[in-house]
Amino acid sequence: MKITLARIPIGTTAGVNSFLRSCIMVPMTKHEIKLPSGDIVAYWEHHADKKPTIILVHGFTGSHEGFQYLVPLLTDFHLIIPDLPGFGVSPLPHDRLTLHGLGELLVDFVETINLPEKPHLLGHSMGSLVVSEAARQHSSAFAKKLILISPVPAPIGWVDERRPGAIFGQLYYKASHRLPIVGKHIATSSKLTRFSTRLIMTAKDADLRRVIHGHHLNNLNFISSISWYSRLHSEINRTGISRYKAALRQFNVLLVGGDRDNVTPLRLQRQAAKKIGAKLVSIPGVGHLAHYEKPTELAQAIVRFLR
């Protein structure tokens, strides 16, 4: 398989604007499919005539839109990008849905779309846990190469650099859920969203920063259940890919992390990689949002691994 990957010149404002326009123009097809459970999943398909297939799974509060900057860089792959149930435009089946349930729905989704060959799975952040859960439940449904971008490495401990962020997030979701009058305003606060995005964003270019803020603000329009978000956020903090050691050791796993990631720190990703027997690639100068800020470097790592 011969794959070429052009480098997108995003070091200047003109380069950023050109790259963003090219992403908007990428042809895509939106689908909706009903699973055997009756649940509806919306998904977007790119480069349908190519092989192999990669299913890209977004992170917490995200949607398929988070991967749009990878799409024009992975034109030699068939890409399928769902909105997980409860995120984006895919409806939440019930607010008792857990990581186990999301993994189960991902397995059902892959079996229902009935691909001619087993797909590779790629997950970002929380998506790494959903992918790991799906791989644990039905390892034979997927190709033997998994890609986990900025994965959640391990449960947050009492002495852990991630604990302040976890406490802030939990207070945010609990306040949004429990305060009867102002809760909704907290949940959809653009100021709080901008503040939290600034904490994890490393891009210096003003245009790119503005676009990332815009994506995160747009996600506020698709909050399905703030009480469910609160419980799922807590479960994510109690989980990590290291908990899936037995399942992930059946696969050839690539971890990709930014060396400035303060959400899933590279030090902890190294520990997780060692535990599950994975290869780790570090992208310099970026944090948790490599799929926005360093898509070329991320795409190159994906291509090298799958080639």
Side-chain angles (χ1 to χ4, degrees):
M1 176 174 62
K2 183 179 180 182
I3 297 174
T4 57
L5 181 65
R7 183 175 183 86
I8 303 297
I10 61 173
T12 65
T13 299
V16 170
N17 288 336
S18 175
F19 179 45
L20 299 180
R21 284 195 299 271
S22 73
C23 294
I24 293 172
M25 295 170 61
V26 170
M28 62 179 176
T29 304
K30 179 187 175 183
H31 306 275
E32 284 191 354
I33 193 166
K34 180 179 285 190
L35 304 183
S37 61
D39 300 314
I40 303 296
V41 174
Y43 67 99
W44 284 255
E45 187 174 27
H46 305 264
H47 324 313
D49 59 331
K50 300 299 176 63
K51 292 182 179 180
T53 298
I54 310 174
I55 295 179
L56 298 88
V57 183
H58 62 77
F60 186 62
T61 75
S63 73
H64 70 284
E65 286 188 352
F67 293 116
Q68 63 182 292
Y69 305 122
L70 283 177
V71 170
L73 299 171
L74 296 174
T75 55
D76 289 299
F77 297 91
H78 177 206
L79 305 180
I80 294 177
I81 315 177
D83 280 353
L84 290 174
F87 298 104
V89 298
S90 293
L92 178 67
H94 56 78
D95 65 4
R96 298 181 303 279
L97 192 62
T98 61
L99 286 172
H100 179 277
L102 287 170
E104 192 172 47
L105 288 170
L106 179 58
V107 171
D108 290 345
F109 171 74
V110 171
E111 291 181 338
T112 303
I113 60 177
N114 193 29
L115 296 167
E117 60 179 10
K118 296 178 182 180
H120 299 287
L121 293 182
L122 179 154
H124 171 256
S125 195
M126 179 201 76
S128 69
L129 300 178
V130 178
V131 164
S132 298
E133 181 62 50
R136 183 192 67 80
Q137 293 181 25
H138 199 346
S139 61
S140 63
F142 311 110
K144 289 301 179 181
K145 287 188 175 183
L146 302 181
I147 303 165
L148 307 179
I149 303 167
S150 296
V152 180
I156 296 178
W158 287 105
V159 181
D160 194 310
E161 61 258 54
R162 297 173 292 165
R163 178 157 288 279
I167 292 173
F168 169 79
Q170 204 57 39
L171 289 174
Y172 166 75
Y173 289 113
K174 285 188 181 298
S176 300
H177 171 46
R178 293 182 177 178
L179 297 178
I181 299 176
V182 299
K184 184 177 180 181
H185 295 289
I186 295 174
T188 58
S189 169
S190 60
K191 290 183 179 179
L192 286 174
T193 299
R194 286 183 178 278
F195 172 73
S196 60
T197 300
R198 281 197 296 268
L199 292 179
I200 64 175
M201 190 163 44
T202 56
K204 301 299 183 185
D205 185 276
D207 284 340
L208 182 56
R209 291 174 68 89
R210 191 178 304 112
V211 167
I212 294 172
H213 277 301
H215 285 307
H216 285 191
L217 291 171
N218 188 55
N219 288 337
L220 296 177
N221 297 319
F222 301 105
I223 296 176
S224 56
S225 168
I226 197 64
S227 61
W228 175 61
Y229 273 32
S230 179
R231 289 195 299 274
L232 186 60
H233 181 267
S234 295
E235 186 183 6
I236 293 167
N237 292 336
R238 298 193 303 268
T239 314
I241 60 171
S242 58
R243 291 278 179 91
Y244 295 95
K245 173 183 175 181
L248 293 178
R249 279 190 171 271
Q250 300 178 50
F251 291 83
N252 184 2
V253 182
L254 173 68
L255 307 188
V256 186
D259 65 356
R260 296 174 60 190
D261 194 333
N262 57 10
V263 179
T264 56
L266 193 63
R267 176 183 68 83
L268 298 179
Q269 292 190 45
R270 288 195 183 100
Q271 294 176 4
K274 185 176 181 180
K275 181 169 288 190
I276 66 175
K279 177 183 179 182
L280 173 65
V281 171
S282 170
I283 299 179
V286 73
H288 198 62
L289 305 178
H291 54 313
Y292 287 124
E293 299 177 341
K294 292 288 184 80
T296 299
E297 290 82 349
L298 178 54
Q300 288 171 337
I302 293 169
V303 167
R304 284 194 297 266
F305 179 64
L306 293 184
R307 184 184 296 171

